[in-house]
Amino acid sequence: FELPEGIDCDSLSSLRLFQSVRSITLEDCPPEGLGLHTDTAAGLAAWIIDRMDFQRTLADWAATGNSLPARSCHVTCTRRKDSVVRFAADISLPLRRELALGLEERTGWTPEIQRGDADIEVHVVLMKEGILVEVPLLVQKQPSLLGGGLPMPGMKQIEAWAIARSLNISVGEIVVDPMCGKGTLLIEAALWWPQARYIGCDTNETQLCAFLENANSSGVVMESHLADASGFRGLPLEDSSVDKLMTAPPWGRQFIARGGVEELYGSMLHEYCRVMKSATRIVSSR
């Protein structure tokens, strides 16, 4: 991952399905034999610290909105199975200790045992090819933004996010899903673009109950209506009142439309045109 010049930290923070963004501060192969025995842990730690690119890592750290200076550090060390040809099987713990002490001497970072107590983390990965050292810059702490957690799942959340993203939702807009089902589309949109007003409609009361349960679980505020988007004035909305509309209508497979999908689409499009503003955007899945 290369951090571009003039990076927008908010854009990085809103990446869909990222778990963490990390700065690679070292990727190299130590001299032969260094790390093959546990009594070389101190020498290996010194070799790592001498080659870490602190200047770039701290620049990346600051550029992604983290506060400077960091005052404490938590070190982790993992060893891949194939690394046994180069590193001792029990070197991880002594290497962690030596790295923490060496980093304290070099940078002034106080070693922390608990990850949550540290300002900055240093991850060391021992591999057959050598050593990788990385520092997490951004960590996703909201599980719902990692694509899981709805108690009543419907559409896949990554697909719902893609649909919502294509709407280019702005602050204060009214966004409607006239066939919301369990509400995955609206909930994804509300999680990522919370400054809009979201309204869900459906003809199925059971689906609307699932929608509200999902919304409550996700901590987002939704407006719901039992309404038929295929009927004339079936949506409880004023003419030309909706800024954005997104929906996943039935395709005659999982859910059957009365009268067939052609009749349904014709009538619902008339209703959509009634409630939409003249310059607007509609996104539908298929």
Side-chain angles (χ1 to χ4, degrees), residues 102-134:
L103 288 169
E104 183 179 28
E105 183 177 348
R106 174 69 66 88
T107 65
W109 296 339
T110 303
E112 291 287 355
I113 297 176
Q114 299 296 326
R115 180 177 303 177
D117 295 334
D119 294 329
I120 196 168
E121 297 178 47
V122 176
H123 295 173
V124 180
V125 183
L126 305 179
M127 310 173 290
K128 179 178 67 175
E129 299 81 7
I131 291 178
L132 175 71
V133 182
E134 55 190 11

Side-chain angles (χ1 to χ4, degrees), residues 23-25 53-62 120 135 137:
S23 175
I24 296 176
T25 186
D53 190 347
F54 288 100
Q55 183 175 359
R56 175 187 169 179
T57 297
L58 291 177
D60 290 348
W61 175 261
I120 196 168
V135 172
L137 306 176

Side-chain angles (χ1 to χ4, degrees), residues 14-260:
S14 63
L15 287 175
R16 182 64 169 99
L17 290 180
F18 90 88
Q19 187 169 13
S20 64
V21 176
R22 306 180 181 197
S23 175
I24 296 176
T25 186
L26 173 66
E27 190 173 13
D28 204 352
C29 184
E32 193 71 28
L34 190 59
L36 193 56
H37 304 284
T38 55
D39 58 5
T40 64
L44 182 57
W47 180 88
I48 291 172
I49 291 171
D50 284 343
R51 285 158 180 78
M52 287 176 63
D53 190 347
F54 288 100
Q55 183 175 359
R56 175 187 169 179
T57 297
L58 291 177
D60 290 348
W61 175 261
T64 45
N66 295 291
S67 59
L68 286 173
R71 295 183 173 83
S72 58
C73 174
H74 175 77
V75 179
T76 65
C77 183
T78 59
R79 187 181 61 82
R80 295 182 180 172
K81 290 182 179 180
D82 62 4
S83 69
V84 69
V85 298
R86 185 176 293 277
F87 301 105
D90 55 352
I91 200 172
S92 295
L93 186 59
L95 180 58
R96 277 183 61 190
R97 182 173 58 249
E98 295 296 338
L99 277 171
L101 294 174
L103 288 169
E104 183 179 28
E105 183 177 348
R106 174 69 66 88
T107 65
W109 296 339
T110 303
E112 291 287 355
I113 297 176
Q114 299 296 326
R115 180 177 303 177
D117 295 334
D119 294 329
I120 196 168
E121 297 178 47
V122 176
H123 295 173
V124 180
V125 183
L126 305 179
M127 310 173 290
K128 179 178 67 175
E129 299 81 7
I131 291 178
L132 175 71
V133 182
E134 55 190 11
V135 172
L137 306 176
L138 293 169
V139 178
Q140 185 58 266
K141 297 180 179 179
Q142 191 170 347
S144 57
L145 299 186
L146 290 173
L150 291 182
M152 305 292 288
M155 172 185 285
K156 291 181 180 179
Q157 286 180 264
I158 185 61
E159 295 173 1
W161 175 86
I163 292 172
R165 175 67 182 86
S166 65
L167 276 179
N168 292 330
I169 298 169
S170 299
V171 175
E173 289 188 324
I174 296 177
V175 182
V176 174
D177 183 349
M179 298 180 175
C180 66
K182 296 174 182 176
T184 313
L185 278 174
L186 290 173
I187 291 168
E188 278 295 299
L191 283 169
W192 293 93
W193 299 277
Q195 300 88 351
R197 175 188 171 195
Y198 295 95
I199 302 173
C201 301
D202 204 280
T203 60
N204 188 313
E205 193 168 1
T206 301
Q207 292 282 79
L208 284 177
C209 289
F211 166 41
L212 293 178
E213 184 176 347
N214 285 335
N216 290 334
S217 174
S218 302
V220 295
V221 177
M222 294 285 165
E223 184 178 330
S224 66
H225 298 279
L226 186 65
D228 185 357
S230 65
F232 178 66
R233 296 197 173 274
L235 296 175
L237 302 168
E238 298 293 329
D239 295 354
S240 304
S241 62
V242 175
D243 296 289
K244 302 286 172 62
L245 186 148
M246 57 180 174
T247 188
W251 296 91
R253 294 191 293 268
Q254 184 178 2
F255 297 101
I256 304 300
R258 292 193 307 269

